[in-house]
Amino acid sequence: MQKLLIKGNKELKGNIYISGSKNATLPILASTILASEVRLSNVPFVKDIFTMIELLKFIGIKVKIQSNKNILEIKNEKKKINTLAPYKLVKTMRAGILVLGPLLTKFKKAKVSLPGGCAIGTRPVDLHLFALKKLGAKIKIKDGYIIAEARKGLMGAKIKFPSISVGATENALLAAFGAKGKTTLSNCAIEPEIKDLILFLKKLGCKIKISGRKITIFGNSLHQKKISHKIIFDRIEAGTYLIAGVLIGKKIIIKEIDPKIFRHEIDILKKMGAKIFKTRSSITILKTKSLKKMNISTKPYPGFPTDLQAQLMVLMTQTKGLSKIKENIFENRFMHVPELKRMGANIKIKNKTAYILGPSKLTGAEVMATDLRASVSLVLAGLIADNRTIVNRIYHLDRGYENLVRKLKNCEAEIKRV
Ligand code: UD1
């Protein structure tokens, strides 16, 4: 099994080019079920994207990969396609559930495997099904599969989500795309990745309006011409390298981003004492001498993202005083904590809150990755630790970070994959 070896305490210096967003690409790929011909650029070639491509191919959509250019050419020509998403593909990547809305709205039926639990929490799909039922779907759960049907097609409806979910908002949007009449979704997630999906759906001919957390979709307005779309940058990848820069950067420049989209995170780091300078499409991070403690709570966008919580926690091990992180999105997202403690961090958890007392000198250890963001937090810890850190189970990292080793090596980090 592959692992990462990191020799810590080496200052980082250089440019980092941010990839396209995995979380924007996944729903856009699912929505190609509704399109005829699509060219996607700035696609991050990470494991989850390849799993979604496999799922699309299984369904009957042609996908051509131009790997050296991060481009996908997608053709959806078959009249009869497979409306099944099998367990073997959905279990490894929960976003497989996103094909449910588009298959159902276009073909009036779909059978999609239930994704099951995952390391960071139970992650149910009740909100996805709630929205589809409101649009007129009949849904049964049988043998681990969601079996959905809408014999006369889906009908526009008014849907208020009882709580905010990124995936359920996306699935509802994609289903409403092909429904008859107007759909109003309220209490929606409004992550930048959802806005990118909306931009894509508009190019496909769909009329969509967004105002605060309310999205109105006028369904059934598909046109069949070829469209092109450039995927938005990955704000979580950018945030991860931003934190790396604050932790141990001499001078790091993060490029091909829009700092406005994650200004909240940048402001938090600045309040902690980081030296950060923005331009329209880049951020420069200079060496930070001393960091102040901070309290944050994870929230849906524009709040602080749960996907950056583990990385920020590593930074908090280096601040002076007691910092706090309250995790409001997933119930089991502190699995990096025991590993960070083994490296010397002083962290206690009570209910949903982690208390981090810093600064602590971290020392290298052999650690185990448990999920995507937890793994990258261990890499960050390894970069600042004394001696050598070995990160095991790095297949989690491959799910979401494109060329992580190469990007860090370009900044003079001593890291290698063995
Ligand atoms: C997406 C992101 C993930 C991120 C998360 C929260 C993708 C591919 N993944 O995941 O990286 O961490 O948003 O920003 O974009 N919930 C329910 N019922 C449902 C759906 C969700 O109770 O039907 C709960 C979840 O358990 C969780 C919360 O709602 O507690 C938010 O989850 P959600 O926003 O749906 O996350 P994902 O779309 O799975």
Side-chain angles (χ1 to χ4, degrees), residues 47-48 51 55 85-97 112-119 123 144-145 396 399:
K47 184 77 181 47
D48 276 8
T51 310
L55 180 55
Y87 176 65
K88 68 172 194 289
L89 293 172
V90 183
K91 77 164 186 218
T92 54
M93 188 217 30
R94 297 181 47 82
I97 182 92
V112 175
S113 169
L114 278 165
C118 83
R123 300 184 83 171
Y145 277 81
H396 290 294
R399 287 189 41 220

Side-chain angles (χ1 to χ4, degrees), residues 267-414:
D267 286 347
I268 286 177
L269 294 174
K270 278 184 160 176
K271 274 191 202 144
M272 291 174 79
K275 283 193 199 154
I276 299 176
F277 305 92
K278 294 183 265 184
T279 70
R280 271 180 61 192
S281 61
S282 74
I283 306 175
T284 302
I285 307 122
L286 296 180
K287 187 168 174 150
T288 305
K289 289 232 168 69
S290 65
L291 288 165
K292 294 189 224 62
K293 63 182 182 172
M294 176 59 66
N295 297 336
I296 64 133
S297 295
T298 60
K299 290 190 186 123
Y301 190 83
F304 191 87
T306 173
D307 285 354
L308 277 178
Q309 178 257 104
Q311 300 89 313
L312 186 71
M313 192 179 293
V314 176
L315 187 64
M316 286 171 166
T317 67
Q318 303 306 302
T319 62
K320 201 165 169 227
L322 186 69
S323 295
K324 287 186 218 165
I325 298 184
K326 187 167 181 216
E327 171 57 58
N328 289 309
I329 310 290
F330 292 111
E331 67 270 25
N332 196 15
R333 214 172 194 182
F334 284 139
M335 280 178 312
H336 42 287
V337 171
E339 297 302 84
L340 292 177
K341 281 168 86 167
R342 289 183 52 242
M343 295 177 76
N346 188 345
I347 306 172
K348 287 200 172 65
I349 296 172
K350 204 169 166 208
N351 302 323
K352 289 175 168 183
T353 306
Y355 298 83
I356 306 109
L357 185 62
S360 302
K361 187 81 207 104
L362 301 190
T363 44
E366 183 156 0
V367 288
M368 199 168 71
T370 44
D371 70 74
L372 175 57
R373 309 301 170 185
S375 332
V376 87
S377 78
L378 299 177
V379 173
L380 295 184
L383 290 174
I384 56 167
D386 281 344
N387 308 328
R388 193 171 75 160
T389 296
I390 302 171
V391 184
N392 290 302
R393 295 199 184 167
I394 52 169
Y395 50 83
H396 290 294
L397 277 173
D398 296 335
R399 287 189 41 220
Y401 284 88
E402 192 179 43
N403 301 327
L404 175 103
V405 169
R406 199 195 308 159
K407 288 183 188 187
L408 285 171
K409 267 188 152 168
N410 280 346
C411 294
E412 302 180 8
E414 281 190 41

